[in-house]
Amino acid sequence: MNKNAWTAICSAVVMIWAAGDVRAQFAKVEDAIKYRQSVMSVLGTHFTRLGAMVRGETPFVREAFEENASLVATLLKLPWEAFQVAGSDKASALRPEALSQKEDFLKLARANQDEVAKLLAAAKAGELSGIRSAFGAAGASCKACHDSYRRK
Ligand code: HEC
């Protein structure tokens, strides 16, 4: 057997192992959907609080801003494998392309985590204009994924 064939077999084995691993985290497809929707819902609540402070709808308190940004950053570590469970595009707002274009989906997830990390750094620095622009960039990177991979 030539080297290319071995490479193909090895990567197929790795892919099957990886897929099995993701599925093993959740007993049922519905569990994966419920898990990720819960995470998104909670992080959405904290992100909305940030937005209210940025827009001046609630008083800007630096410590509270940092705490909420930190929670969003932590929560963003959780949901991504739950988005990769086969069949979970049914009965949810996940578009099937998120499963067939997994690399792109995960790229948008990482970009979002990077922007939220910058937002947290800006919150620590405490300068409102820096916080405002970092919040805008973070929000845009949430939206970038929703536009491509979330059903309206
Ligand atoms: C890489 C893609 C991606 C990124 C990045 C992303 N989301 Fe989402 N989000 C989704 C998808 C897909 C759904 C629909 C999930 C489902 O129905 O199972 C969703 C659902 C939601 C929901 C609805 C949860 C519910 O109750 O069902 C909220 C709120 C939300 N996202 C907020 C955010 C915020 C805030 C950010 C940025 C900090 C963000 N999302 C970043 C893909 C993403």
Side-chain angles (χ1 to χ4, degrees), residues 12-31:
V13 167
V14 167
M15 273 162 68
I16 290 163
W17 173 80
D21 192 47
V22 167
R23 238 178 299 123
Q25 311 286 321
F26 300 99
K28 289 184 280 172
V29 170
E30 303 82 76
D31 294 348

Side-chain angles (χ1 to χ4, degrees), residues 10-108:
C10 290
S11 54
V13 167
V14 167
M15 273 162 68
I16 290 163
W17 173 80
D21 192 47
V22 167
R23 238 178 299 123
Q25 311 286 321
F26 300 99
K28 289 184 280 172
V29 170
E30 303 82 76
D31 294 348
I33 296 172
K34 199 159 102 188
Y35 178 87
R36 74 189 182 215
Q37 288 180 346
S38 308
V39 172
M40 295 320 262
S41 168
V42 174
L43 80 82
T45 301
H46 293 285
F47 200 75
T48 303
R49 287 182 192 164
L50 296 176
M53 280 192 250
V54 164
R55 287 188 294 272
E57 294 159 12
T58 58
F60 178 80
V61 180
R62 202 206 60 80
E63 291 75 15
F65 195 96
E66 182 181 333
E67 195 181 315
N68 280 288
S70 168
L71 282 168
V72 173
T74 300
L75 289 162
L76 276 176
K77 292 180 185 160
L78 301 176
W80 310 117
E81 70 181 357
F83 276 102
Q84 285 151 47
V85 175
S88 71
D89 53 323
K90 318 261 181 333
S92 79
L94 184 68
R95 286 180 191 267
E97 292 80 10
L99 298 165
S100 60
Q101 296 159 30
K102 184 179 147 187
E103 284 314 313
D104 184 61
F105 181 86
L106 291 176
K107 202 173 87 189
L108 293 178

